[in-house]
Amino acid sequence: MQILYLASAIITNPQNDFLIVRKKKSSYFQMVGGKIEGDEQPIEALIRECKEEIQVDISTYPIELLGEHCTKAVNEQETLVKATIFHVAIPHHVAIQCAKEIAEFAWMSKTSYQNYQLAHLLCEFSLPWWKANEI
């Protein structure tokens, strides 16, 4: 079984909504982030992926390491994802723009999260953390 090493973020706004994205060839929403390349540290990969996917430089905001989680990938057969997961709180005025492989984004609230088809990593680690924390 193949393992993909990822860096992902629970990105929240002042209302504690959670930014989720859907890739062009997927029906699942997931966290912003992606594969760690070469000698990158997880934080470096996350900063790069945020610039690539949503056109936001998160390096100017507080970034909190939450932990790691391993689960099945939703878009690749016979593949596990092992992710280092962070929390990033951004101001509401930050403009989010879909770029690269991202088809759409949504601000998920604690009353609307059931309306989205969510990737395993988001469901198993990030959703419980987010629901339990007022940020």
Side-chain angles (χ1 to χ4, degrees), residues 102-120:
I102 303 302
E104 65 178 312
F105 73 90
W107 285 104
M108 178 174 70
S109 73
K110 290 187 178 177
T111 58
S112 71
Y113 71 90
Q114 302 95 333
N115 300 332
Y116 300 96
Q117 187 173 6
L118 302 174
H120 302 302

Side-chain angles (χ1 to χ4, degrees), residues 18-132:
F18 184 156
L19 181 68
I20 54 175
V21 295
R22 186 182 60 76
K23 292 185 177 185
K24 291 178 180 171
K25 294 183 180 181
S26 178
S27 58
Y28 291 91
F29 280 87
Q30 57 193 47
M31 291 175 282
V32 175
K35 295 177 186 131
I36 298 170
E37 296 178 355
D39 293 336
E40 277 183 322
Q41 293 299 307
I43 189 73
E44 295 168 327
L46 181 65
I47 291 168
R48 175 184 50 76
E49 288 285 346
C50 286
K51 288 177 186 174
E52 291 175 1
E53 292 183 352
I54 60 169
Q55 305 291 291
V56 174
D57 181 359
I58 63 164
S59 67
T60 60
Y61 307 115
I63 302 172
E64 174 188 9
L65 174 64
L66 299 180
E68 293 184 345
H69 188 73
C70 187
T71 190
K72 284 191 318 182
V74 294
N75 295 316
E76 291 93 358
Q77 297 273 333
E78 299 296 319
T79 302
L80 294 174
V81 292
K82 183 173 183 181
T84 303
I85 303 167
F86 299 87
H87 172 244
V88 182
I90 62 172
H92 196 59
H93 67 275
V94 173
I96 306 296
Q97 297 177 14
C98 294
K100 208 171 177 186
E101 72 265 12
I102 303 302
E104 65 178 312
F105 73 90
W107 285 104
M108 178 174 70
S109 73
K110 290 187 178 177
T111 58
S112 71
Y113 71 90
Q114 302 95 333
N115 300 332
Y116 300 96
Q117 187 173 6
L118 302 174
H120 302 302
L121 183 62
L122 200 159
C123 285
E124 294 171 13
F125 181 94
S126 303
L127 192 63
W129 183 90
W130 172 67
K131 287 172 58 181

